[in-house]
Amino acid sequence: MAYPYRHEKEVRLMSEAFGDPAARTIEGWRARGGYQGIARALEIGRDATVADVKASGLRGRGGAGFPTGVKWSFMPKDGTRPHYLLCNADESEPGTFKDREIIRWTPHQLIEGCLVGAYAIGASHCYIYLRGEFFEATQVLAKALEEAYAAGLAGKDILGSGVEIDVTLHVGAGAYICGEETGLMSSLEGRRGEPRIKPPFPAAVGVFGMPTTINNVETLAAAAHVARHGGEWYRQWGTEKSTGTKLFCVSGHVNRPGNYELPLGFPLMELIEDVCGGMRNGAALKAVIPGGSSVPIMDAGECVSCELCYEGVEAAGSMLGCASVVVMDETADIVKQVRRMADFYAHESCGQCTPCREGTSWAARILRRIEDGRGTEDDLDTLMQISEQMTGTTICVLSDSLAAPIISSIQKFRNDYLALIRRGERVGAA
Amino acid sequence: MPDNGRKPETVALTIDGREVVVPKGTSLLQAAAGAGIEVPHYCYHPGLSAPAQCRVCLVEVEGAPKLQPSCVTVAQDGQVVRTDSDEALEMRKGVFEFYLVNHPLDCPICDMSGECKLQDYVFAEGREHGRAHEPKRVFGRDDFGGDVLYYGDRCVMCTRCVRFMEEVAGDPRLTVVERGSRAVIDTFFDQGLEGASFAGNVVDICPVGALVSKEFLHKARAWDLDHTPSVCAGCSQGCNVELHTRDNLVQRLKPRENQEVNGHWMCDYGRESYEWINRPGRLESPQAGRGSRRKPTDWRDVLGRLHARLQELRGAEVIVIGSPLWPNEGLAALDALAQAAGQVSRRVFRSPRAQDEDPLPGFPLLIRRRDLAPNVDGAGLLGFDRDGSDVGEGGLDGVAAHDGILLVLGDELRDQSEEFGASAALFVYLGTHDSPAAANADFVLPVTNFAEQEGTFVNAQGRVQRFQQALRPPGTARPAWLVLGALAAALAGNGPPPSRADGAFAALVAAHPAFAGLDYDVLGVAGAPLADAGAATAAAAGQRAP
Amino acid sequence: MSEAPFRNPGWAGNTGEFDLAEAEVRGDSYVGERPLDGGHPGASPSLPYMLVKKDPSAPLFEGPYQERLDKILDRYPTSRAALLPVLNMAQELRGHVSPGTMDEVASLLDLGRAYVRGVATFYTMYNKRPVGRFLVQVCTNISCNLCGADEVLAAFLDHTGTELGETSADGNFTVVEAECLAACGFPTCVQINSRYFEDVGADDVTAIIERLKAETGDARL
């Protein structure tokens, strides 16, 4: 067996070839049905492709969940200025590890998605902004891209259609904030990766001042399948508002962590108990972060009936985000983990907006003091207020992303904090 | 009136309950400012791009899901905006608390104290007590080179300075290094602002005490300074400035906005060229008599004797030496007196000139001009010709031995010998300081410099600009126009002389067609172009040609 | 995996069920050796190797690197956009980005020196000072942290005899703490130069260090 994380309940549209080295090559990928999506898109035309993706209900997989077809339809149609597609492969949300798997196992899947997206928005150039740390995955993608160019699947006159789409790999250099779409544009332009105020929106004034669409790796990979099979086909999975399949990145205290591609709406507890082989050492579930470190932490009670779709997780009090499920058992030290997240956000804040620049590092210092047993109960009130002051007050949502785990952890795991504050006792070891 | 499409489109909105009508495209912050409502702001500056990153200009806009940055939110018709709603105030209070988390609170030793926007806003809207007990981050002090010193701990990271150097100065020597709470403004290691000729502006636009002037460091407290609208005397651009004075001394110059001349900016050369105004050793009372016979006297006596002498010599050949450091009113009165006294054979001035011009790339109207005096163009319009070299010396051929009337205003004749004017029938020296070359002057009259009076200069654009009196004159020194105007009127017998600056200006307008149509009151503090500013500039340019 | 003497040969999910060789998992068998000139122009900005041998005075942009630079410049509408790829290339050759390197890059791309410094200091992957032959980056973010990353980091520091961020006396190792490396299902993830080592436990550290010490001259590392 090649890829160790497999489960019968999975619906593997994007992940079927994970762990299959033969699927990396262009021959291998074509043998598995690759590049039929772009062929069909070129056949039915740009507008029909956008309509298909709209009809599919596909939502952005980078975290915000914005309908992809609608986003594509924002792009101007006049075509007097160059349009750009940016593929966001700067995967760095803690808990998320799906895009790297797509790139290193199925590089042609991503290239095809980029071609479909670029064609649909009228872009003749697509930049794939790769996380700098992804040396190995990037080399796989580079090789695949050269194969695609050699096969006439990229560059001038794609598949004899007269359509020209160039694809360029662009490697970042270590900054979480470049995963934010306007930060990514700044970085691609050779600037500090500082997010920009919207409006103007990227579809009007994007990278290099031109109309731009930014899509996540998984979104484009899914779009390639939609382009091949049509919008209605994709709706057979998932819920009314969250269609299709999603890669769930499960990490933490489960027996079989990994990437699982499941229909949206899949029950959280079934994911943990069945698909992931249950809790490690049979320990009790304490908390779950369902969508990457930027979303509110759920306690065990909230997990019970939670369905993993955009609306389902929202109903449970959190957000699906990029479906990065971090599972914590009773040994988890919530205060330490929240402090570690605060350190992360303080480290990654770009420093433009004051609430984020000052708030994240201040919160991290307070949390460190509490962790060291020198906190007071007033600190919890201060943390709550700082978090509120960091929510909705900045250009991007990086500081909101720290506020969410702080607020939710104090609300749901207050006793963990109080044990440290009152008695100097840590709850949990990890 | 029919709308011919030229009328700018406007939008009407409500800000804090007030109806406001502004041109389409105006930001909420500007619209509020127009209605007299100041929304706190740091990163926004009218002369720079707006990154909307300081987050203190957040206001409530009815219908918007969250507070909006007023600096980049464009006013819309029918919008209802509250800058002082509970939510906006609460949020800003929070943001100001963040600003103080790492701030050293060193107001007692900070130059900006008293005019600091952090101090002001926190006092107006901030929390009474901070809640940050953690150890503060420390950056310390960094010499940025030139006249600029950086206190990183006081910095609010608004990046105005970085954007000024990049967008306006076109010389990106400042940058933000690192990120997050470790972010700080810096230069390229030890290569700082040395030689950057407009870098002093970063001190002006710094809203807090992060960037300060070395020259001004610990020199005066903001609240002890008087601010007087004036014009920079450093070159013929005539940047609008404020003279900041204390103890009857100019302490510093700050640019004053004028979009027709200097925008919000001024050059470092002009900013640093003010010490001459404070130069001690002033002539304080009129004196009469040559060489060892020189005796102090009073104005009544000296004017009486001088008038009598001019009467005696009426019709003689007159040579006039003026100075473009003096305003139009003084130069015009000098000319008027010369004409009343006799046959004017030469009107000259000498003035230093730089090798080349120094424009500000991001605001091309502003150029540090070659002429390093404020009224070269005014002097030209009033009939004075340039003489001497580019260091403001030499020339004056035959003047030293002139045997007629010699009238000198403002030129200290430093390059001339003690024999200067020895053969003159009458040698009158009006100035601020005595000079060896004035030894043969029959009358030495103390006059005020431009900062001690009000008046006008004409800049290189042909723009007439008023300045106000910032300093008390020393002793009994009087404005040149007052002294010369009285003598000229007495000689010509044509009515009472002007007794105020506006009268002096009116007199020069009447006598010199180039100034036709200008009114002293209408000039205001912003000035106005000459009716034929283009021709004046061309004439001045021709006159400047070697 | 048979050649690897320890549990973690360095790829995802080695739970004993994986039957691929390391080269297949890493993609080496597919990629082969990427050319120094960047290969196809579309892929040319994507070669930020971290070489084992780091020569702080190596000339920039000569030979194949000049070719790669030309291709990179051709891929963007502005020369400013080439800044990150060019800094990547400079670091590939020299191991870190010194003030002198920033200066050279600034004049090459006609950008302000201070501007280049501002950009270089924004990104954590640009080493602002020299690092050891092997830069060991241990993820300690949440998923790895829940599974013992702190112990792994401590083990690396212990076995290399260094302090966090310092370079070992033999010049071999610099150990730093890294933010999430996007391999959360395979904790703890450690990036060593260009390679990911996953599923690393504190017990594995000795073997990894021995393996690294034995490796010489591989340009990919």
Side-chain angles (χ1 to χ4, degrees), chain B residues 228-302:
Chain B
T228 308
S230 189
V231 173
C232 176
C235 82
S236 61
Q237 175 70 18
C239 288
N240 290 206
V241 298
E242 279 186 347
L243 300 183
H244 288 191
T245 56
R246 195 197 64 179
D247 300 338
N248 210 39
L249 294 169
V250 177
Q251 304 289 340
R252 66 178 176 188
L253 267 55
K254 287 282 182 188
R256 176 166 62 86
E257 184 188 353
N258 187 334
Q259 290 303 325
E260 303 298 322
V261 182
N262 56 305
H264 305 270
W265 324 113
M266 69 183 297
C267 77
D268 290 2
Y269 173 79
R271 185 188 299 274
E272 287 157 14
S273 315
Y274 69 83
E275 271 304 328
W276 64 272
I277 303 171
N278 295 337
R279 187 172 144 209
R282 291 289 294 270
L283 287 170
E284 294 198 1
S285 59
Q287 298 168 19
R290 288 195 178 189
S292 56
R293 297 195 302 282
R294 166 109 15 115
K295 295 236 166 35
T297 174
D298 60 36
W299 281 105
R300 175 182 289 271
D301 173 60
V302 82

Side-chain angles (χ1 to χ4, degrees), chain B residues 290-320:
Chain B
R290 288 195 178 189
S292 56
R293 297 195 302 282
R294 166 109 15 115
K295 295 236 166 35
T297 174
D298 60 36
W299 281 105
R300 175 182 289 271
D301 173 60
V302 82
L303 289 180
R305 284 159 65 182
L306 177 50
H307 179 236
R309 186 76 183 120
L310 286 165
Q311 288 280 25
E312 287 166 29
L313 293 170
R314 188 165 266 212
E317 184 190 348
V318 186
I319 291 181
V320 181

Side-chain angles (χ1 to χ4, degrees), chain A residues 247-265:
Chain A
L247 283 164
F248 287 89
C249 312
V250 189
S251 62
H253 298 152
V254 292
N255 278 322
R256 292 165 55 88
N259 272 300
Y260 297 97
E261 186 172 0
L262 297 161
L264 281 158

Side-chain angles (χ1 to χ4, degrees), chain C residues 115-136:
Chain C
Y115 175 85
V116 172
R117 183 184 179 201
V119 172
T121 55
F122 186 87
Y123 297 95
T124 46
M125 281 177 64
Y126 297 127
N127 303 318
K128 263 63 85 184
R129 51 184 185 145
V131 296
R133 293 173 66 228
F134 297 100
L135 178 64
V136 180

